[in-house]
């Protein structure tokens, strides 16, 4: 199909592959293959536009839109609504035609669905400008609402046209997208050798109550209020996140923020 840019009078060719019956749709395997290749090779920050879809934004202000577009750059949604496609050529956008498709959040805010959040700003996982583009593209008949779209992913993944996480395809045309992230192996991992890591040492909170020693062999030992060995166990660092598995069996976590370690309400610095 072609879409005319009303500002220039030019036409943009867009591949289609939608089908009507989800049980006999032979076009699923070839859904927008050119666009997929462009997204996977997109290292120039080109905008990506999913166009002409029914969009279940889950945003209480925006609501559900039909014949609408979802525009994102990198890992940020920058626009949602009709007529964004008119600027696609100007912005050198990668265009994905979604005729007959519904776009739904891939992460469901069940608290919001139940009416349990008092302010729009508290809603998470909505397809709202400023949020992360985590979403599903599913045929309309399989996505009456967000729960049914997610159910399609769980029970009929071959019918999912796209599953996108932070702007990167995970599933496409019912199969794994090339180069997709893989889930970590189940089970407790071995501890890394952290010799020389700037995060190894004794972290002390601002009130000198909590002393948490992180050792290079992946063990921690806490002194609380002068009581030594109050908690001991293993830890793992992944980016700025630290996960703890106490010898008593419970899990906890913390976050490194600059030269501070935030954990369970404590703010610590290396002693």
């Amino acid at each position: 199909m072609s879409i005319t840019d009303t500002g220039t009078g030019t036409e943009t060719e867009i591949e289609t592959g939608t089908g009507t019956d989800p049980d006999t749709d032979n076009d699923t395997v070839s859904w927008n293959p050119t666009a997929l290749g462009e997204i996977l090779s997109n290292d120039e920050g080109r905008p990506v536009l999913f166009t002409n879809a029914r969009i279940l934004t889950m945003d209480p202000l925006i609501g559900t839109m039909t014949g609408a577009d979802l525009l994102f750059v990198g890992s940020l949604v920058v626009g949602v609504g009709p007529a964004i496609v008119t600027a696609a050529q100007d912005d050198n956008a990668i265009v994905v035609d979604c005729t007959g498709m519904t776009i739904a959040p891939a992460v469901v805010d069940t608290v919001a669905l139940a009416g349990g959040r008092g302010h729009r700003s508290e809603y998470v996982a909505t397809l709202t400008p400023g949020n992360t583009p985590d979403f599903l593209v599913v045929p309309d008949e399989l996505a009456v609402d967000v729960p049914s779209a997610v159910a399609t992913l769980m029970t009929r993944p071959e019918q999912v046209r796209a599953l996108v996480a932070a702007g990167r395809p995970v599933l496409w045309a019912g199969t794994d997208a090339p180069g997709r992230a893989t889930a970590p192996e189940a089970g407790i991992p071995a501890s890394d050798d952290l010799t020389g890591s700037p995060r190894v040492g004794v972290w002390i909170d601002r009130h000198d109550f909590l002393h948490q020693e992180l050792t290079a062999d992946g063990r921690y030992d806490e002194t609380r209020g002068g009581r030594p060995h109050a908690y001991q166990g293993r830890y793992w660092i992944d980016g700025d996140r630290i996960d703890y598995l106490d010898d008593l069996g419970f899990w906890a976590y913390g976050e490194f923020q600059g030269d501070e370690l935030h954990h369970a309400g404590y703010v610590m610095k290396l002693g």
Side-chain angles (χ1 to χ4, degrees):
M1 68 175 291
S2 63
I3 293 179
T4 300
D5 185 329
T6 57
T8 63
T10 59
E11 292 186 341
T12 300
E13 293 294 329
I14 300 175
E15 295 189 49
T16 60
T18 56
T20 56
D21 185 343
D23 292 320
T24 60
D25 182 4
N26 295 322
D27 289 333
T28 302
V29 295
S30 60
W31 189 75
N32 285 291
T34 300
L36 172 62
E38 290 183 303
I39 294 171
L40 293 176
S41 62
N42 182 20
D43 56 2
E44 301 174 356
R46 291 176 63 190
V48 180
L49 181 72
F50 282 64
T51 187
N52 199 32
R54 173 173 168 260
I55 303 179
L56 309 175
T57 70
M58 272 186 62
D59 183 300
L61 178 62
I62 300 173
T64 296
M65 313 184 85
T66 57
D69 308 329
L70 179 70
L71 178 68
F72 59 92
V73 179
S75 60
L76 189 71
V77 175
V78 296
V80 61
I84 300 176
V85 71
T86 59
Q89 191 170 47
D90 295 338
D91 298 335
N92 191 31
I94 299 168
V95 179
V96 184
D97 179 51
C98 295
T99 302
M101 298 291 145
T102 291
I103 297 176
V107 181
V108 179
D109 186 348
T110 55
V111 176
L113 285 175
R117 300 198 189 279
H119 301 280
R120 177 172 172 253
S121 60
E122 297 173 348
Y123 279 56
V124 297
T126 60
L127 296 178
T128 305
N131 282 0
T132 303
D134 293 331
F135 62 90
L136 284 161
V137 182
V138 180
D140 288 339
E141 60 270 24
L142 298 178
V144 175
D145 50 25
V146 173
S148 62
V150 174
T152 298
L153 172 65
M154 296 296 102
T155 62
R156 305 175 68 180
E158 73 280 359
Q159 293 299 331
V160 173
R161 297 307 195 271
L163 170 62
V164 175
R168 300 295 295 177
V170 176
L171 296 178
W172 196 275
T175 61
D176 289 351
R180 58 166 282 174
T182 55
E185 294 184 7
I188 299 174
S191 296
D192 294 328
D193 180 2
L194 296 174
T195 301
S197 170
R199 289 169 171 170
V200 168
V202 180
W203 293 81
I204 303 172
D205 86 299
R206 60 188 62 173
H207 302 296
D208 199 33
F209 175 83
L210 176 64
H211 292 212
Q212 184 182 95
E213 182 179 9
L214 304 180
T215 59
D217 60 354
R219 296 280 301 176
Y220 70 89
D221 188 349
E222 286 190 3
T223 297
R224 289 177 172 246
R227 178 167 56 97
H229 315 307
Y231 293 105
Q232 295 174 293
R234 300 171 63 185
Y235 75 91
W236 296 266
I237 295 176
D238 183 1
D240 288 330
R241 179 186 175 102
I242 178 170
D243 287 280
Y244 306 92
L245 174 57
D246 197 83
D247 290 342
L248 295 174
F250 66 83
W251 290 84
Y253 91 103
E255 184 179 15
F256 295 99
Q257 298 182 14
D259 63 350
E260 297 177 340
L261 171 55
H262 293 241
H263 163 66
Y266 295 97
V267 177
M268 297 172 280
K269 291 190 174 185
L270 274 173

